[in-house]
Amino acid sequence: IDRAFHDWPAGIDSLDGPRIRAFLKARRNDLVSYAKEYYALMAKEVFIPATADKDVIQLDAVDPNTLRVTVQRLDDNKAYTHYQRVFNDDVTKEVRLFGLNKQDSVIMTGEGNPSIKIRFVGGSGKDKLTNTSARLTALAYDSPDGMQVVGSAKKHLNDLPLNNTYDRRDWNLNRDFDFITPTFYTDEGIGINYAYWWTRYGFRSDPFKSKHTAGLSYFFGTGSFIGKYNGLWLHAPGQFDLGMNVFFSGPTYTQYFYGFGNTYVNFDEKRDFHIVSGSQIDLSPSLRKRFGTGNSISLTPTYQFINIEDENDEPRFIYDSLQSGLTQEDFGERHYLGATLSYAFSRLDNAGFPSRGLELGTWIGGRTSLTGESIQHGIVGAEASLYIPFDVSNTFVFATHIGVDKILGD
C-alpha cells in the first residue's frame, strides 16, 4: 500500500495520503473477518440451480451433521458433474434445489440426520423425487402432474404462479431497525419511546413472510408505561394472513377524565384532580383473506382487561359519584370479549411511505363484559385515506384521513 502511493505527487500525498493509507490498511486487516461474515450470510440459505438438460441430483446424509449435494448433467447416457458441495448444519440451515427444464431426478440417501431444510422445485419437466434415506425429508414444489414423489416428502403440488419456477432474484435480506425518540401524550406528558421494527423474508414470500413493530414508552411525570406490538404473518394458515395486535399500559398508567358527554365543568382544581390511574391490556388476533387487487376481509376477536384504581390519598373527580356519574361498580378489574368483521381496500404506490393512492375501510363488531356489570354494545364505522402528489417527484403530497364510527348499546 505504501509503495502504491509513491506515484502520487508529493503535494497531494501530504494532504490526503496518510489518511487514505490508514483506511486501506484497516480494511485489509479486517478482510478475513469480513469474508467470514459474508460467507456465513451466503451459506445460511443456498440456492442450487441445476442445468437446462436432464439432471440427477443426489443428496446424501453423510453423518449426523453433514449433507453432500451432487448435481450431475446427463448427456448421451453420460453423467457430467455440474455441482458438488458438502454442507454442515452448523452453518447451512436451508438448501433450495431447482430442477429447471426437462426430466430431473432427486435421490435422497444416507443414514445421517442433518437438520438442514431441503426444498426441491421441479421446473417445467416431468420430475421424480425418491427418498430412501433414514431421516431426511424434503419439501417438493411442482404442478399437480409435474412430479412423482416416492418416500417421505411434503408435497406442494399446485398451479399457483411461480410455484415451480426459478428466479435468481427471489431472495431478500431480513431487515431490522430500532430507534429511540422523545414522545408526548396530552394525558401522560413527556416521555421516551423505544421502537423496534423487523421484517422477515422466507421462501416464495411476497412481499414478505412476516412484519413486526414493537414499542415501549415511559413517561416521567406519571411513571407510566405504554407498550404496543403489531405483527403480521402472510399465508400463515394456508391462504390466510394471521395478525396480532397487543397494547398494554401500567402499572400506573394515567388518563384524565372530565365527565361524560361534551360539557366541561370547571371545578377550579389542579389538573391532577381529573387523573384516572390503572392498567389495561388489549389483545387482538386477526385472520385476513386477501382477494382481487387490494381487497381484504378480516375477522378479529378481541380481549380487553381494564383495572381502574378505586381509591387515592388525594381527592379526585372520578371518586365523586354525583359529579362524575360513576359508582363503585365501575372500578376494579373488568374483562371484555368482542369481535369485529372488517373490509379494506388499498391501492398505494408505497405502503410504508405513500405518496399516491387511496385506502378505504369499514367494519362492524361488538363487545360484551365477562365480569362486573353486564355490558353489551355494537360498533359500526368507516374510514378513508387519500394521497395526491403535487409534482412528479412527489416532494409535496396532499394527505388526508377521515373516519367515523357509531356505538350501539351501552
Side-chain angles (χ1 to χ4, degrees), residues 197-319:
W197 302 349
W198 68 102
T199 303
R200 295 294 178 261
Y201 298 92
F203 181 73
R204 298 290 160 85
S205 55
D206 183 24
F208 54 83
K209 182 178 182 180
S210 65
K211 179 176 287 188
H212 314 262
T213 61
L216 181 63
S217 302
Y218 174 76
F219 298 91
F220 303 107
T222 59
S224 59
F225 290 91
I226 294 180
K228 298 179 181 180
Y229 168 78
N230 187 324
L232 178 62
W233 294 262
L234 300 185
H235 303 298
Q239 296 302 309
F240 291 88
D241 303 333
L242 180 64
M244 172 60 79
N245 289 334
V246 178
F247 173 89
F248 68 89
S249 59
T252 57
Y253 173 65
T254 302
Q255 300 183 74
Y256 290 84
F257 178 65
Y258 296 90
F260 295 109
N262 296 322
T263 302
Y264 169 68
V265 178
N266 187 355
F267 294 93
D268 294 324
E269 296 280 355
K270 294 181 179 180
R271 190 165 178 257
D272 291 351
F273 179 66
H274 294 275
I275 281 181
V276 180
S277 296
S279 56
Q280 179 179 342
I281 299 174
D282 292 332
L283 301 176
S284 302
S286 63
L287 195 63
R288 184 180 72 175
K289 173 64 177 178
R290 291 175 289 163
F291 61 96
T293 303
N295 299 279
S296 66
I297 294 178
S298 301
L299 178 62
T300 307
T302 61
Y303 165 77
Q304 184 179 41
F305 166 81
I306 298 177
N307 183 15
I308 300 177
E309 293 182 2
D310 58 359
E311 61 180 13
N312 193 279
D313 294 336
E314 299 179 3
R316 297 283 171 83
F317 169 72
I318 194 173
Y319 304 133

Side-chain angles (χ1 to χ4, degrees), residues 172-218:
N172 281 293
L173 283 173
N174 292 331
R175 299 179 182 180
D176 299 79
F177 179 59
D178 65 330
F179 55 93
I180 297 176
T181 58
T183 186
F184 175 80
Y185 281 75
T186 304
D187 289 348
E188 292 77 22
I190 297 175
I192 189 169
N193 177 71
Y194 172 75
Y196 181 45
W197 302 349
W198 68 102
T199 303
R200 295 294 178 261
Y201 298 92
F203 181 73
R204 298 290 160 85
S205 55
D206 183 24
F208 54 83
K209 182 178 182 180
S210 65
K211 179 176 287 188
H212 314 262
T213 61
L216 181 63
S217 302
Y218 174 76

